[in-house]
Amino acid sequence: MKAHDYRSCDLCVCVCVFLIITTAKTAILFIQPQYNISTMSADGEVTLYLYGWKDCATVVFYLCITIILHAVVQEYVLDKVNRRLHLSKSKNTKFNESGQLCVFYLVSSLWSLYVMATEGYLLHPSSLWENYPHVHLRFQVKFFYLTQLAYWFHALPELYFQKVRKEEILRQLQYISLYLLHILAAYLLNLTRVGLVLLFLQYLSEMGFHLSRLFYFIDENHHKMFEMWSIGFVLTRMITLTLMFLAVGFGLARSENQTLDLEAGNFNTLSIRLLVLFVVCFTQSWLLWKFFRFQLSRTRELRLEQVARKRVAAKQQMQRTLKRDSVGHYENGLIKAENGTSPRLKKIKAP
């Protein structure tokens, strides 16, 4: 699909949604998060939010906004860079993917870090599991989760808009589905605090990978950033597993209220905790397995390349040696024999 066709599809989808929203009396349902309640605190009256089925409308609206922003980044940033780099078709697709994800990961990382700092999660790590269930969310926390869901849901129609190759669709569907699964689980099970920290770690790690890939496409001699990312990737898996066992395996397990209560939003039961730990551990183990398998295959390929280069160099050296031995070698314009002496010149008799 050409660029103008791609933008036309985006515009058609978004215009239809905007027409519905602007002509309906429930426009506020799509734009503003719902289920707000007002409570009194030490700082005065505070507005908090719950979750419900009306959040789907808000997600749809911001999904359309995300499609527009995606097209803007593609047209005014990535396409201009692509014209200068003159990449192949396969590299061009990967460059666009990494460019889009770098922008998203950068914004989401900074946003989640700001939320963690203002909510006090960094200074008080025990707040990640204390006073569970965390059913009352501040505006910035709920809006963050809604926009995250909107982005990853928007990635599904983008597979069609961008005409992704069939062999790439399965790979992209895997990580899109994993993100949606984990974000929805954290949002619906009222594990938003732990989920926010885990998303920050994951986005930071993935941003390092896609930045490394962008620099590699610009200059193929950039390999050190991949090495730095490899260390950060393994550390991120270890920190994620440690944090999950600390918060869910120990923190919530010591809570007094461990009964399933759907109305109160309490999902702190042994079976649910084990299920959450299993899903997270399985995902992290699967990511580590893919990572180590790629590293081993890459190391094997590098070794084969080195062996092939040594063979070619040895063959060329042997050819040079044979050629030199067959014709001798010259010194001061005279042919030298193997013992280093010059052959005796034949005297020509004068006529």
Side-chain angles (χ1 to χ4, degrees):
M1 181 179 287
K2 295 181 180 180
H4 65 275
D5 295 333
Y6 169 72
R7 292 190 293 271
S8 299
C9 291
D10 292 344
L11 270 166
C12 288
V13 173
C14 298
V15 166
C16 291
V17 175
F18 284 134
L19 286 175
I20 296 173
I21 293 174
T22 53
T23 55
K25 296 181 180 180
T26 57
I28 195 69
L29 178 67
F30 292 85
I31 301 174
Q32 182 178 342
Q34 302 299 306
Y35 303 104
N36 58 316
I37 58 174
S38 298
T39 58
M40 296 301 298
S41 65
D43 299 330
E45 187 176 357
V46 179
T47 302
L48 301 175
Y49 292 84
L50 305 172
Y51 69 77
W53 66 270
K54 294 181 181 179
D55 292 338
C56 298
T58 310
V59 170
V60 170
F61 173 77
Y62 287 101
L63 183 149
C64 298
I65 298 295
T66 307
I67 290 177
I68 296 174
L69 294 177
H70 187 113
V72 170
V73 173
Q74 183 67 42
E75 180 180 0
Y76 294 101
V77 180
L78 297 179
D79 286 347
K80 292 183 178 180
V81 177
N82 281 330
R83 295 190 195 99
R84 295 183 179 181
L85 294 178
H86 303 289
L87 299 174
S88 63
K89 188 175 181 180
S90 59
K91 289 185 177 181
N92 187 22
T93 303
K94 293 180 179 180
F95 183 86
N96 291 333
E97 179 190 3
S98 293
Q100 293 284 352
L101 289 175
C102 270
V103 174
F104 170 72
Y105 288 144
L106 177 61
V107 174
S108 298
S109 298
L110 295 176
W111 190 1
S112 57
L113 180 62
Y114 171 78
V115 174
M116 287 189 297
T118 55
E119 294 292 328
Y121 302 158
L122 298 178
L123 298 179
H124 305 285
S126 60
S127 62
L128 298 178
W129 61 83
E130 289 180 349
N131 301 322
Y132 180 86
H134 309 135
V135 293
H136 298 117
L137 306 176
R138 293 184 181 272
F139 173 82
Q140 60 181 359
V141 177
K142 177 165 183 174
F143 190 64
F144 175 81
Y145 271 91
L146 293 181
T147 52
Q148 295 299 307
L149 291 172
Y151 181 87
W152 291 112
F153 274 118
H154 116 280
L156 296 175
E158 288 292 343
L159 296 177
Y160 170 76
F161 291 148
Q162 294 185 2
K163 296 296 182 181
V164 178
R165 294 183 300 175
K166 292 182 179 180
E167 55 270 20
E168 289 289 324
I169 290 179
L170 180 60
R171 179 186 64 84
Q172 295 193 26
L173 281 177
Q174 285 179 350
Y175 72 76
I176 292 171
S177 302
L178 286 175
Y179 274 117
L180 287 174
L181 173 64
H182 287 75
I183 295 173
L184 280 172
Y187 188 64
L188 297 177
L189 298 178
N190 295 315
L191 296 171
T192 51
R193 298 182 181 181
V194 180
L196 186 68
V197 179
L198 295 183
L199 279 177
F200 169 74
L201 295 172
Q202 176 65 20
Y203 287 166
L204 205 62
S205 173
E206 289 299 303
M207 183 176 64
F209 168 74
H210 288 285
L211 275 176
S212 302
R213 193 157 75 162
L214 288 177
F215 280 108
Y216 175 77
F217 288 143
I218 296 174
D219 186 0
E220 295 186 357
N221 295 322
H222 284 286
H223 295 282
K224 293 184 178 180
M225 291 191 65
F226 280 112
E227 298 175 359
M228 296 173 60
W229 166 78
S230 300
I231 299 173
F233 180 86
V234 177
L235 288 177
T236 301
R237 304 311 120 205
M238 298 298 103
I239 296 173
T240 298
L241 291 173
T242 303
L243 182 60
M244 280 302 298
F245 277 102
L246 180 63
V248 179
F250 295 97
L252 294 181
R254 299 168 68 180
S255 177
E256 297 180 357
N257 188 6
Q258 297 193 22
T259 57
L260 181 63
D261 189 351
L262 297 179
E263 294 184 359
N266 185 17
F267 299 93
N268 186 16
T269 62
L270 178 61
S271 58
I272 294 179
R273 290 200 306 271
L274 291 176
L275 179 61
V276 170
L277 287 174
F278 172 77
V279 171
V280 174
C281 291
F282 176 79
T283 303
Q284 301 303 313
S285 302
W286 179 70
L287 292 174
L288 281 172
W289 175 73
K290 286 188 62 179
F291 172 78
F292 286 123
R293 188 181 67 170
F294 172 78
Q295 294 297 329
L296 289 175
S297 63
R298 181 60 180 164
T299 303
R300 193 180 300 111
E301 290 176 0
L302 290 175
R303 287 180 180 177
L304 292 176
E305 290 178 1
Q306 290 177 357
V307 170
R309 289 175 183 175
K310 288 181 179 180
R311 289 179 179 176
V312 171
K315 188 175 181 180
Q316 292 176 352
Q317 184 66 26
M318 185 179 297
Q319 290 176 351
R320 293 194 197 99
T321 304
L322 292 174
K323 185 176 181 181
R324 184 182 59 189
D325 293 342
S326 62
V327 301
H329 63 280
Y330 290 85
E331 185 175 322
N332 295 327
L334 297 177
I335 299 177
K336 289 287 186 179
E338 292 184 0
N339 56 4
T341 61
S342 301
R344 182 174 295 176
L345 297 175
K346 196 179 221 179
K347 294 184 179 180
I348 302 175
K349 294 182 179 180

